[in-house]
Amino acid sequence: QVQLVESGGGLVQAGGSLRLSCAASGLTFRNYAMAWFRRGAGKEREFVAAISSRGDVTHYADFVRGRFTISRDNAKSTIDLQMNSLKPEDTAVYYCSAEVTTTLFTIAAKGGDYWGQGTHVTVSI
């Protein structure tokens, strides 16, 4: 059974930083592209960042490029999202998603086959 468990969310002031993590189990992690998505209150789910199965290629949404960094550790079956210079509009539930090896544009467009339960991020003014 595949499980993705996010952690690291919380309350932070605008301009601050948070680091989200996603731990995967039940899959051969090194074969999966991974991504972060988010859904704000009353909004559609949107793509945030993705990383290739080997961790050598990344892809970001324009609104986070330069502020967020996605990384992965295949030995630990985890991905991280380092979020800096946070803004109130970054407030959302953040989800990680996994898709067996695919292009990052594909996972960015439709999400993966597997999803976590999400972790809440609130950025205050």
Side-chain angles (χ1 to χ4, degrees):
Q1 180 181 358
V2 175
Q3 281 194 315
L4 302 177
V5 180
E6 302 93 337
S7 62
L11 173 64
V12 64
Q13 285 189 325
S17 298
L18 279 176
R19 189 176 184 90
L20 306 183
S21 294
C22 172
S25 60
L27 51 74
T28 305
F29 187 73
R30 65 180 181 274
N31 292 343
Y32 282 75
M34 300 293 295
W36 288 98
F37 287 77
R38 71 186 188 187
R39 188 193 301 272
K43 298 181 181 180
E44 296 290 319
R45 185 184 71 193
E46 60 184 354
F47 166 75
V48 175
I51 188 164
S52 63
S53 58
R54 294 191 299 180
D56 54 346
V57 182
T58 57
H59 175 48
Y60 295 93
D62 287 344
F63 55 79
V64 302
R65 190 171 288 116
R67 299 189 298 126
F68 292 9
T69 302
I70 189 171
S71 60
R72 67 188 292 156
D73 185 335
N74 282 356
K76 296 181 179 179
S77 298
T78 59
I79 63 168
D80 288 342
L81 184 69
Q82 178 65 43
M83 306 187 296
N84 298 328
S85 302
L86 282 162
K87 305 174 182 181
E89 52 263 43
D90 293 319
T91 295
V93 179
Y94 284 72
Y95 302 88
C96 67
S97 183
E99 173 84 0
V100 70
T101 304
T102 182
T103 70
L104 298 189
F105 295 107
T106 298
I107 195 172
K110 69 176 185 65
D113 288 335
Y114 303 105
W115 294 86
Q117 292 300 305
T119 186
H120 291 256
V121 172
T122 302
V123 183
S124 64
I125 298 173

